Amino acid sequence: MTIGVIAKLPIQDGKGAEFEAFFTELARQVRANEPGNIAYQLTKSRTEPNVYKVLELYKDQDALTHHGGTEYFKAAGPKFAGFLAGRPEIEYLDGVG
Amino acid sequence: MTIGVIAKLPIQDGKGAEFEAFFTELARQVRANEPGNIAYQLTKSRTEPNVYKVLELYKDQDALTHHGGTEYFKAAGPKFAGFLAGRPEIEYLDGVG
């Protein structure tokens, strides 16, 4: 079953450009190395300043578990911490159809 | 620029299965006919009963505008109304990277 993820990331004021460059490289690695990843798109809120949302789709739970265990994703964790202005909110959704 | 959409749809209690069948066919038409659509995935909330979220990605604003103008999407509008338990919330997001 497809799994959807919406990751809401509040980023520190003034760090948007640096965060976008960091995340674009991470997304490139995800898309290049994870056949079970269907989509991994960074987006920026139009209504909440400094808020980004990552829209993610995986073909199944195994693909999501694999994503979380990759070396580049684990290495990204401490770097994320340097950009965040607050707690990220991660929502997991069950794909239909 | 990529455009993301998160459509939150509260569905009437007991109509989930019928709604899922209806939406699966709509999604099939979107994916088959819209080269500018990158993703169009129905998902079900794990935390809010009877709440569905559609995760959508378009390659640009033109592709999103085209989606809204298709015959099948316009025809789906009145059918959606018969499933909804409340106002849908549609969030538009600007793609990065």
Side-chain angles (χ1 to χ4, degrees):
Chain A
M1 181 181 64
T2 303
I3 304 286
V5 180
I6 302 170
K8 180 178 177 181
L9 307 172
I11 299 298
Q12 294 166 37
D13 197 27
K15 289 207 175 173
E18 193 185 347
F19 170 72
E20 291 180 11
F22 154 73
F23 198 95
T24 296
E25 173 54 20
L26 174 63
R28 190 194 63 73
Q29 291 181 291
V30 170
R31 300 292 294 137
N33 294 301
E34 298 178 32
N37 177 271
I38 300 164
Y40 199 80
Q41 179 64 54
L42 181 65
T43 68
K44 194 170 196 304
S45 172
R46 293 182 179 181
T47 55
E48 297 176 272
N50 299 319
V51 167
Y52 291 83
K53 293 188 182 184
V54 190
L55 275 60
E56 307 173 37
L57 291 170
Y58 300 87
K59 73 171 181 160
D60 54 25
Q61 178 60 46
D62 283 353
L64 174 55
T65 302
H66 174 74
H67 166 70
T70 59
E71 287 307 316
Y72 48 83
F73 188 78
K74 288 192 284 188
K79 294 176 194 164
F80 266 113
F83 291 114
L84 289 170
R87 201 188 182 82
E89 295 170 27
I90 316 293
E91 179 177 12
Y92 298 96
L93 300 142
D94 292 322
V96 177
Chain B
M1 181 183 63
T2 302
I3 304 285
V5 180
I6 301 170
K8 180 179 176 179
L9 308 172
I11 299 299
Q12 294 165 38
D13 197 27
K15 288 206 177 176
E18 194 185 348
F19 170 72
E20 290 180 13
F22 155 74
F23 197 96
T24 297
E25 173 55 21
L26 174 63
R28 190 194 63 74
Q29 290 181 292
V30 170
R31 299 293 294 137
N33 293 299
E34 298 177 34
N37 175 271
I38 300 164
Y40 198 80
Q41 179 64 54
L42 181 65
T43 67
K44 194 170 196 304
S45 173
R46 294 183 180 180
T47 55
E48 297 177 272
N50 300 317
V51 166
Y52 291 82
K53 294 189 180 182
V54 190
L55 274 60
E56 307 173 37
L57 291 171
Y58 300 87
K59 74 172 182 157
D60 55 25
Q61 179 60 48
D62 283 352
L64 174 56
T65 302
H66 173 73
H67 167 70
T70 59
E71 287 306 316
Y72 48 83
F73 188 77
K74 289 192 284 189
K79 294 175 194 164
F80 266 114
F83 290 115
L84 289 169
R87 203 188 182 83
E89 294 171 27
I90 315 293
E91 179 175 12
Y92 298 96
L93 299 142
D94 293 324
V96 177

